[in-house]
Amino acid sequence: MDSHPHDIRIVEKSQTTTASMHLIGEEPLSIRIQGAPYAVVMRTPGDEKAHVAGFCLGEGIVDAPGDITNIAFCDGEDTNVVTVTLTADRRRRIADHLDRRTYISQTSCGICGKSIVADLVQALTPLTDAEALDGNAARERLLGLGELQPLRRQTRAAHAAAIYDPGLNLLSIAEDVGRHNALDKAIGQIFLDNRLPRAGLLTLSSRISYELVQKAARARIPVILAVSRPTALAVELATALNITLASLGKGDSLNVYCHAGRLVWPG
């Protein structure tokens, strides 16, 4: 858990008191592929190797754990720089990709939503129909996400991503200051030990953006439930990729935006 105590002043009307508050950590993580710089992300320190593995899967750098020969910290104790070494076959396969011109990973100026969806659907394979989940039980997993967030309880500033199998058993949970990082970490944890094919449900503490749908598609996760609503582009992309999106609604309801058949509601 990465948090830092900090003395603050609490001002309420005319009264001032002092207190100690825990603030969430945030540091840069430099990701190097074959020794060359690829990306720098701001993240909460911890679980770096899983984070980088999940990031590489989401970016299309790897398709399977066997594409990686090594993930290591560059300078021993320096956990802010991680380098990934790929197999020779994988390096040949993604030679054009490593210049980052052939795959969309960030929102870019001058690119419209339709272009993003069209390009990503070409780069990603739509998911096949999956086993239906108990909608009520899936919603309970989403509502219980906060109970799996010790860093959020301490700092009130952490996002989380949790992944479950089709029986709604927890496979992985990760927290981070960034919602994208939390998802990369959660995916990476089970990607590295070959448990990712068991993933059936992803729960998120945030809204659903198109980048999170993209990462879920790369991980082949068929259902995403989130606390907040998705963007219109996220729904468009999920619809095209055959991924179910839902978020909390009023009362005990879920708002299901696409592919509602994957959630069933036992009497």
Side-chain angles (χ1 to χ4, degrees), residues 2 4 24-31 40-52 55 73 77-82 151 157 175-185:
D2 190 83
H4 306 265
I24 193 168
E26 183 178 27
E27 294 184 14
L29 174 64
S30 175
I31 300 170
V40 176
V41 298
M42 297 302 297
R43 97 299 185 198
T44 300
D47 220 2
E48 280 79 16
K49 291 183 181 179
H51 184 175
V52 172
F55 176 88
F73 299 118
E77 297 300 316
D78 184 2
T79 60
N80 283 348
V81 182
V82 174
L151 187 57
E175 290 185 272
D176 197 278
V177 70
R179 55 200 171 90
H180 303 82
N181 299 334
L183 180 53
D184 282 338
K185 288 179 179 181

Side-chain angles (χ1 to χ4, degrees), residues 84-128:
V84 177
T85 305
L86 304 173
T87 65
D89 180 65
R90 189 62 187 175
R91 291 199 302 272
R92 286 192 295 270
R93 288 172 180 269
I94 63 164
D96 291 338
H97 179 97
L98 287 178
D99 63 10
R100 306 195 72 189
R101 287 197 297 266
T102 61
Y103 194 80
I104 297 172
S105 64
Q106 301 293 334
T107 303
S108 302
C109 295
I111 300 177
C112 72
K114 290 183 178 179
S115 296
I116 290 172
V117 170
D119 288 346
L120 286 178
V121 170
Q122 287 183 2
L124 300 168
T125 304
L127 275 67
T128 57

Side-chain angles (χ1 to χ4, degrees), residues 31-33 38 50-63 68 71 84 86 90 97 184 191 215 218:
I31 300 170
R32 302 175 70 88
I33 310 296
Y38 184 84
H51 184 175
V52 172
F55 176 88
C56 287
L57 178 65
E59 288 281 299
I61 296 169
V62 299
D63 286 334
I68 301 170
I71 299 181
V84 177
L86 304 173
R90 189 62 187 175
H97 179 97
D184 282 338
F191 174 70
K215 290 176 185 294
R218 285 286 302 166

